[in-house]
Amino acid sequence: MKRQDYNLPYLLKYENVAWYENGKVEILDRRIYPIKKEKVVCESYVDVAKAITDMVTQSAGPYTAVGMGMALAAFESKKLKEEDRIEFLKEASHVLSHARPTTANRMGLITEKSYEVGRDAIKSGKDPIAAIKQDTVDSLNRRYSVMERVAENLINLLEDDSVVLTQCYGETIIGMLLRLAKEKNKNIKFYCAETRPFFQGARLTASCCAEMGFDTTVVTDNMVAWLLENNRVDLFTSAADTITADGHIANKIGTYQIAILCERFNVPYYVTGFPDRDKKDRNSIIIEMRDPEQALKFLDIKITDDNVKGIYPSFDITPPNLIKGVVTDKGVYGPEKLNLYLEEATKFY
Amino acid sequence: MKRQDYNLPYLLKYENVAWYENGKVEILDRRIYPIKKEKVVCESYVDVAKAITDMVTQSAGPYTAVGMGMALAAFESKKLKEEDRIEFLKEASHVLSHARPTTANRMGLITEKSYEVGRDAIKSGKDPIAAIKQDTVDSLNRRYSVMERVAENLINLLEDDSVVLTQCYGETIIGMLLRLAKEKNKNIKFYCAETRPFFQGARLTASCCAEMGFDTTVVTDNMVAWLLENNRVDLFTSAADTITADGHIANKIGTYQIAILCERFNVPYYVTGFPDRDKKDRNSIIIEMRDPEQALKFLDIKITDDNVKGIYPSFDITPPNLIKGVVTDKGVYGPEKLNLYLEEATKFY
């Protein structure tokens, strides 16, 4: 399969997400990009796990990083006996997939697959390093391809000249939307909500849009009502960390209030992604409360006085009545119609 | 008159707003407080005007700074002939009052008064420097006293245990609210919206609240809907840069969307301040569009890539239907009843 990251912005090239080469995994440090363009070099799978724990990469980045980390584990173990080497990979799969608790399940699906691929290669006398790396790239290709179909369905909602508001960093969907917009000569103007506290909108999404040649403007998170009242915005879109079967979505903190404001100013909100089969309704969403100190900082600079407290819900929940449609690989569904999507068998990872 | 800044937090002590002494005006740099506690030293009134333009001080700070700047102008001109010196003060009054367009009228009231005080002192052979400085302190005392009456009317809206959400930095009103709350043993919990791009809520309001011993939590600007849905908030309050006779208010960017969210979650919004006699309706409000680069930075660190644009409306306009009441020195008025306030003769500056 042709590599699916062609003509995508820097951030979405596989090598700039996480990449195994010559006994090392390099991971782009998304915490500071584009203020600094630095990669964290990992010389062991334990380093990779630590980088994921430290959020060097986030969003879908860890799913690539754990695969490449498994290739590195295969490199690290190359002098071990066959059985010990397989055991080493098993241990690596556990450590890598548990680098972040919230997504351990999803990461585990990937590392288990890598483990199996590596084990089978070892048993049949092939190179497990190359096999795991190729499997990781194949997985990336599949994921990127599915996201291209989502982007295709999203872009069909847009006129040739459109103005789109984004929140946080939708990762692959954003890259695919941009690539398709260029291919189809759609002239999209982007407003990116900056997305405190880590500024993923300002740093990541806006960088992708501008790099691909689109008119890109960052708005601070408190300018949204002003923007919607005083400027043309045709559509608001975001990815989602969870989409429940009944049409609630959990996404980066701030999404909910933008959705409320969009309703007030008659701007439709389209979520991209896939409903989670195992999440029925909003009660099945657990909001991760992160270290409040992180919300009181800009980069590593503490903004507030010592006795001031912070609070940091990583996600908020937007109810279906604020969502115009859920844009999936199979089409656009009203949030109350996601059961139709779920009735079809799906596999993404 | 006794100095009215007793028992107020650091930020509201006169010397820490703007202060003339020995041929210099020192202005606390609110852009970086409390990360750094630094004062900008101005050796000419032009420096003072520039400091105001550069937002070294903001909110009510410029009203003190222009008065102290006029004292400095009197110092700078001390070797000029009487008529030239008066002319010099006239020019200084113009330059200082126009350091920021949106508040030129209000600043002009102060600098004109300083000019008259200085001119009269010169004509009667007195020291215009001391006269203008004293007049500025007198004006501060009057303003602080009036604000104490406003705070009294605001605090009467609050139960003994209350939760208040703030936006930006309401300056004197915040200090007075805190001093009165302590005097009256009111146990107020504060949530402060951080107020991008300059974080006045996180840095200034939160510092004052915490310094005075109140439970203080900063929320990033994109957490407001989440906060209102998941936590008790009894009242939202902000000051206003402009209050029109028909009940529109202009205040720091972000106020409007908090007001919209508060309406949705049934939290009453009370504005503090006084209607502007010369502003009839929203058409008389000019929104200052500031350098967009400022919204892409913090502490001189550029967050975004080179081709990404910014936008920076310094204020937004909240319509009267989102405002529960305007809290003035004379009582609380519905936004449609401000004519009653205006019918009484008033003088504040």
Side-chain angles (χ1 to χ4, degrees), chain A residues 50-101:
Chain A
K50 185 175 182 310
I52 294 167
T53 303
D54 293 347
M55 294 186 70
V56 170
T57 190
Q58 45 65 261
S59 187
Y63 302 119
T64 305
V66 292
M68 294 296 174
M70 286 299 290
L72 179 52
F75 171 82
E76 288 178 79
S77 59
K78 65 181 175 185
K79 291 185 178 162
L80 297 182
K81 282 185 296 186
E82 195 176 296
E83 268 181 41
D84 292 345
R85 196 176 187 188
I86 291 170
E87 196 49 45
F88 190 93
L89 289 180
K90 188 78 191 163
E91 172 66 12
S93 168
H94 180 80
V95 171
L96 283 164
S97 62
H98 288 76
R100 286 189 67 187

Side-chain angles (χ1 to χ4, degrees), chain A residues 243 245 275-280 341-346:
Chain A
I243 300 177
D276 292 71
R277 198 170 289 280
D278 60 330
K279 311 264 187 201
K280 264 199 216 165
Y341 181 95
L342 288 168
E343 281 163 17
E344 305 184 39
T346 52

Side-chain angles (χ1 to χ4, degrees), chain B residues 21-277:
Chain B
E21 198 85 58
N22 297 325
K24 286 172 191 158
V25 171
E26 291 195 350
I27 305 175
L28 181 74
D29 194 340
R30 291 188 182 173
R31 296 170 302 187
I32 51 166
Y33 183 91
I35 302 161
K36 293 178 188 169
K37 295 182 183 179
E38 286 179 0
K39 290 179 180 176
V40 169
V41 180
C42 303
E43 309 213 351
S44 71
Y45 78 80
V46 173
D47 287 351
V48 174
K50 184 174 181 311
I52 294 167
T53 303
D54 293 347
M55 294 187 70
V56 170
T57 189
Q58 46 64 263
S59 186
Y63 303 120
T64 304
V66 292
M68 293 297 175
M70 287 297 291
L72 178 52
F75 171 83
E76 289 178 78
S77 60
K78 65 183 176 184
K79 290 185 179 162
L80 297 181
K81 282 185 297 185
E82 195 175 296
E83 270 179 38
D84 293 343
R85 195 175 188 187
I86 292 170
E87 194 51 42
F88 189 92
L89 288 181
K90 188 80 192 165
E91 172 66 13
S93 167
H94 180 81
V95 170
L96 284 164
S97 62
H98 286 77
R100 289 192 67 185
T102 315
T103 48
N105 276 0
R106 286 188 185 182
M107 292 201 292
L109 292 175
I110 294 167
T111 59
E112 271 306 295
K113 177 81 189 308
S114 296
Y115 161 74
E116 285 164 17
V117 166
R119 179 197 61 199
D120 294 352
I122 291 167
K123 285 193 174 171
S124 57
K126 290 183 189 149
D127 175 13
I129 306 172
I132 294 173
K133 181 176 176 182
Q134 187 56 51
D135 180 66
T136 302
V137 171
D138 290 347
S139 162
L140 269 168
N141 282 334
R142 283 195 303 277
R143 187 148 50 77
Y144 275 47
S145 297
V146 172
M147 284 300 177
E148 191 175 29
R149 296 206 294 278
V150 175
E152 186 102 39
N153 290 326
L154 178 59
I155 211 163
N156 286 337
L157 299 170
L158 296 169
E159 303 293 323
D160 280 357
D161 282 276
S162 292
V163 185
V164 170
L165 171 65
T166 66
Q167 153 72 343
C168 199
Y169 176 48
E171 180 113 16
T172 323
I173 182 69
I174 286 292
M176 291 299 175
L177 181 67
L178 295 167
R179 188 167 81 189
L180 283 171
K182 279 189 87 162
E183 286 171 9
K184 292 170 187 281
N185 276 318
K186 294 233 181 187
N187 178 29
I188 304 177
K189 177 177 167 67
F190 288 92
Y191 286 108
C192 305
E194 64 176 5
T195 321
R196 280 279 295 152
F198 286 109
F199 295 103
Q200 292 96 333
R203 296 186 300 102
L204 309 181
T205 307
S207 293
C208 288
C209 297
E211 182 188 334
M212 296 285 278
F214 294 89
D215 185 307
T216 307
T217 303
V218 163
V219 292
T220 58
D221 294 330
N222 52 359
M223 290 180 191
V224 176
W226 178 88
L227 175 76
L228 296 175
E229 187 173 63
N230 295 284
N231 296 267
R232 178 183 151 200
V233 175
D234 298 310
L235 183 145
F236 167 47
T237 189
S238 81
D241 292 82
T242 298
I243 300 176
T244 65
D246 73 343
H248 287 78
I249 73 112
N251 193 43
K252 178 68 58 190
I253 184 73
T255 307
Y256 178 32
Q257 74 184 44
I258 300 178
I260 290 172
L261 296 169
C262 282
E263 184 197 44
R264 188 176 183 97
F265 292 99
N266 297 312
V267 173
Y269 172 32
Y270 286 95
V271 178
T272 54
F274 321 105
D276 292 71
R277 196 171 291 280

